[in-house]
Each structure stands twice: as C-alpha cells, then as structure tokens.
Amino acid sequence: MKSLIIASFVSPQLPYSSSSKGCYHASLRALKQNKVIRSQSSYAIHNIGRFKRTFLLSRKHNTSIVASAVSEQPVGPGDTSPQSSLPNALNAFYRFSRPHTVIGTALSIVSVSLLAVQKLSDFSPLFFIGVMEAIVASFFMNIYIVGLNQLSDIEIDKVNKPYLPLASGEYSVKTGVLIVSSFALMSFWLGWIVGSWPLFWALFVSFVLGTAYSINIPMLRWKRFALVAAMCILAVRAVIVQIAFYLHIQTFVYRRLAVFPKPVIFATGFMSFFSVVIALFKDIPDIVGDKIFGIQSFTVRLGQKRVFWICILLLEVAYGAAILVGASSPFLWSRCITIFGHVILGLILWRRAKSTDLENKSAITSFYMFIWQLFYAEYLLIPLVR
C-alpha cells in the first residue's frame, strides 16, 4: 500500500494509458482508504484525548460521580460513607444547637453557682453534681428552644441563615420535630428525677417562654412583637438563669436559706442590660428576611444603624454601672478586678464598634458573635464581684 501511495505522487507526469489506468485507480483507492484510516485515527486520538481531559476533570471535581458511572449505583449529594457520615451528622447537629447559646448557658450556670460558695469546703462532690445536673438539663432545654425557633422559621432562615440544617435541607421537618421533642422530654425528665424545684421551675418557665416566642399559632409567636420578644429573652437570660440556678445550689444542694447577696443582685441587673442588647442585636443581620415575612423587629422599625448604636450605648451604661459597683466593694482585690476588668471591656467594645462596617452583613454578624464573647467574659468577672 505504501508503494502505491508513493507511486501515485511521484508519477503524475506519465502519459495516460489503458495499462496505467488500473494502476492509477488502484492508487487512488489506496489513497482514499489511507485518508479514511488517517481521519479515523485522528478522530479516535482526538476523542481519546478529550475523554482523558473530561475524565480527569470529572475525577478532580466530583470523584463520586465517576464511581457512580463505573458501578452504576446512584450517588447522593454528599459522601454517604460511614467514615464521613458521622462527622457530617455531628456538624449538622452542632449548627442546629446554636453553640454560642449553649456556651453562654453553661458559663452562666457555673458563674451563678459559684456565688453560692461561701467557704472552701463548699467545693464538695455534691456541688459539682448539682452544677452538672443543671448544665445538662439546661442544655437539653436549650436545644428544644433553638430547635423550635428553627422549625418555625424555615422560610425566613432560607434568607437570613441558609446554613442552618433545616433551612439547607440537611434536616427534614420530621427530623427537627423528633429532635426538639426528645430533648424537651429529656430535660423535664432529668429536672424531675433530680428533685430540685428551682431547677424544675427554671426549665418549665424557659419551656413556656421559648414556645410562646417561636411557635406559629394564634395568640403566640411573640417574636413578631419587638418589645414582647425582648422581654422573653430578658426573663430567661437575666432573671431565670441568675435567680433559679443560684437557688438550685443555695437551697437544694447546700440546704441553706434563700438569701440574695450583692453579687446575685449585680448579676441580675447587669445581665438585664446584656439580655436586652442580645434581643435587639440578633435582628440586625436578619433585617432582609424579617422585612419579607413581616417580623416587626426594632431593626425593621428603626433601621440597622440606630439599633446598633442603641445596643452599644446600653452596654457602655452597664459597664459604667459595673465600675461603680466595683468601686463600692470593701475588698481591694475585688475592687481592682471589677473596675479594671470593666474599663478594659468597655474600651474594647467602643473600639470595635467604631471600626464595624454597618453596610456589611458579615461584619455585623461578626460583631454579634463578639457581643456573645463579651457575655462570656462578664460571667468570668461576676464571681469576683463582692
């Protein structure tokens, strides 16, 4: 074939004759066949190269799809292997539990419980058991409250917080209902078997206010009304947490009379400011979804900037009051820690507020989490107030 092809190119000047006619046609057919073979080879090489590029790109971006094509098994949107399903489930539950609220609840219980300690011998096994009982029961109730709020706000959260499991579709409504129901029952069960009436009533009142705040039935869903919503959060965070859990340790664990010393009164008053700020500030990043779904928060009514600076002013007033309380302490160590601690926190707050871009939702959300960090820091200072 090769000689025929070469001949067809090197002898085009030969005179045309009948003897050469067959040779010419044979050469022409060989040339056409060679062109077809070369064209098919080029096409095959091109397709192989394209397949390789496609395969590598597909493997790079979505290995699970390639595996599915090979095994002819359907693959879900995520990796369903046992090795990854547990971390994914834990991550979803972590986001569902709203961990900043859980941390705040645990710190507040520990801090307030320490206010009942009068001497070193009070740090007994009974004290630590009593604190753990309160933390675990409150953790269960906290999951119920934040979970119910998410169940009631699925459509709003698709706009404001699309990363939450119910809003993103990681959890079905049925799963959400199962979780919140189970944790509410476990909370009441633990509170009942412990036998502490202050603990049980703290759980019960939190349950009632948390349900009224979120659930969308007539006469309830109090979060629609800015003032009522703020009062719900204030009642739980400022009053119930301080008073009920202090009484749990004071009267149930230590079997002492229900007296309220200066640190408990200070903690209740100071956290009243903080609770109002949390109630106001949490709606600032959520203004878009709240407007769409008719939630008349203070941010929707007054605007983000005005509510932001109202929150800063309230916190600075609280820090100023804490400085005055610290200055009245008869103990030098308590006076120094309380004054300098709150001066530093107040300055940090002001500096951070001045540098926050109120046109940037991420910056506002970051500042909201910063307020929770100040909340945590305050509970480290409260036991030192004397």
Side-chain angles (χ1 to χ4, degrees):
M1 182 183 292
K2 184 176 180 180
S3 62
L4 290 174
I5 295 170
I6 295 174
S8 67
F9 282 97
V10 298
S11 58
Q13 288 92 4
L14 292 177
Y16 182 81
S17 65
S18 60
S19 61
S20 61
K21 183 177 180 180
C23 181
Y24 172 78
H25 284 292
S27 300
L28 184 61
R29 285 195 300 272
L31 180 60
K32 289 181 178 179
Q33 290 175 357
N34 184 62
K35 286 182 178 180
V36 170
I37 292 170
R38 288 173 63 188
S39 175
Q40 291 175 345
S41 300
S42 175
Y43 177 78
I45 293 171
H46 172 72
N47 281 329
I48 289 171
R50 187 172 64 178
F51 172 78
K52 287 181 178 179
R53 289 193 299 270
T54 305
F55 176 79
L56 292 174
L57 184 62
S58 175
R59 185 177 182 181
K60 179 178 180 181
H61 289 286
N62 199 344
T63 307
S64 63
I65 295 176
V66 177
S68 176
V70 174
S71 63
E72 297 183 0
Q73 296 294 328
V75 178
D79 189 356
T80 58
S81 65
Q83 293 82 358
S84 64
S85 59
L86 180 59
N88 289 342
L90 292 175
N91 179 268
F93 183 76
Y94 176 82
R95 285 178 280 119
F96 182 79
S97 67
R98 308 296 282 150
H100 59 280
T101 63
V102 173
I103 295 171
T105 300
L107 273 177
S108 62
I109 291 172
V110 173
S111 179
V112 172
S113 297
L114 289 172
L115 299 181
V117 174
Q118 298 178 2
K119 52 186 182 293
L120 193 60
S121 61
D122 285 343
F123 288 107
S124 62
L126 285 177
F127 169 78
F128 292 106
I129 292 172
V131 172
M132 286 305 301
E133 289 169 343
I135 290 175
V136 175
S138 298
F139 168 74
F140 291 159
M141 186 55 66
N142 199 99
I143 298 299
Y144 165 77
I145 292 172
V146 298
L148 180 65
N149 188 53
Q150 292 173 63
L151 280 169
S152 303
D153 285 357
I154 294 177
E155 297 303 320
I156 299 177
D157 287 339
K158 287 179 180 179
V159 178
N160 292 336
K161 303 180 183 75
Y163 54 85
L164 293 178
L166 284 166
S168 66
E170 293 173 84
Y171 282 177
S172 65
V173 173
K174 183 179 179 181
T175 299
V177 171
L178 180 63
I179 291 174
V180 299
S181 302
S182 301
F183 276 87
L185 290 174
M186 288 191 295
S187 180
F188 281 124
W189 172 79
L190 182 56
W192 181 260
I193 65 170
V194 167
S196 169
W197 282 110
L199 175 59
F200 183 84
W201 281 109
L203 299 174
F204 180 76
V205 176
S206 298
F207 173 84
V208 171
L209 293 179
T211 302
Y213 178 87
S214 297
I215 196 166
N216 193 9
I217 61 176
M219 307 275 310
L220 297 181
R221 193 163 172 79
W222 291 350
K223 67 180 298 178
R224 294 176 297 168
F225 313 107
L227 184 60
V228 179
M231 292 301 101
C232 286
I233 295 175
L234 185 147
V236 174
R237 289 285 174 188
V239 180
I240 294 173
V241 169
Q242 321 308 319
I243 303 299
F245 291 113
Y246 167 77
L247 290 176
H248 167 65
I249 300 298
Q250 177 75 2
T251 63
F252 176 75
V253 175
Y254 290 147
R255 306 295 179 181
R256 296 170 181 161
L257 294 177
V259 295
F260 298 99
K262 175 183 173 181
V264 176
I265 298 172
F266 166 77
T268 304
F270 189 94
M271 285 304 161
S272 296
F273 281 90
F274 240 114
S275 300
V276 171
V277 169
I278 289 173
L280 294 176
F281 205 100
K282 72 178 185 61
D283 295 325
I284 297 179
D286 297 342
I287 186 171
V288 175
D290 288 350
K291 280 183 176 180
I292 294 173
F293 291 92
I295 303 297
Q296 295 298 311
S297 65
F298 281 110
T299 302
V300 172
R301 293 180 177 185
L302 304 177
Q304 289 178 304
K305 184 175 182 180
R306 186 175 297 179
V307 173
F308 178 87
W309 286 109
I310 288 174
C311 291
I312 301 303
L313 178 62
L314 288 173
L315 286 180
E316 294 293 359
V317 169
Y319 285 133
I323 291 170
L324 294 177
V325 171
S328 66
S329 173
F331 303 100
L332 179 61
W333 60 269
S334 177
R335 194 183 313 148
C336 293
I337 293 174
T338 305
I339 292 174
F340 287 109
H342 289 99
V343 166
I344 291 170
L345 291 176
L347 290 174
I348 293 173
L349 169 66
W350 184 257
R351 182 176 180 181
R352 178 73 180 265
K354 293 288 287 184
S355 63
T356 300
D357 181 9
L358 299 181
E359 302 298 325
N360 187 329
K361 181 178 178 179
S362 297
I364 297 174
T365 303
S366 176
F367 194 92
Y368 175 61
M369 300 311 299
F370 169 70
I371 288 178
W372 276 96
Q373 293 170 4
L374 295 177
F375 184 81
Y376 305 154
E378 187 58 36
Y379 273 117
L380 298 178
L381 289 174
I382 283 175
L384 304 175
V385 175
R386 287 292 184 269

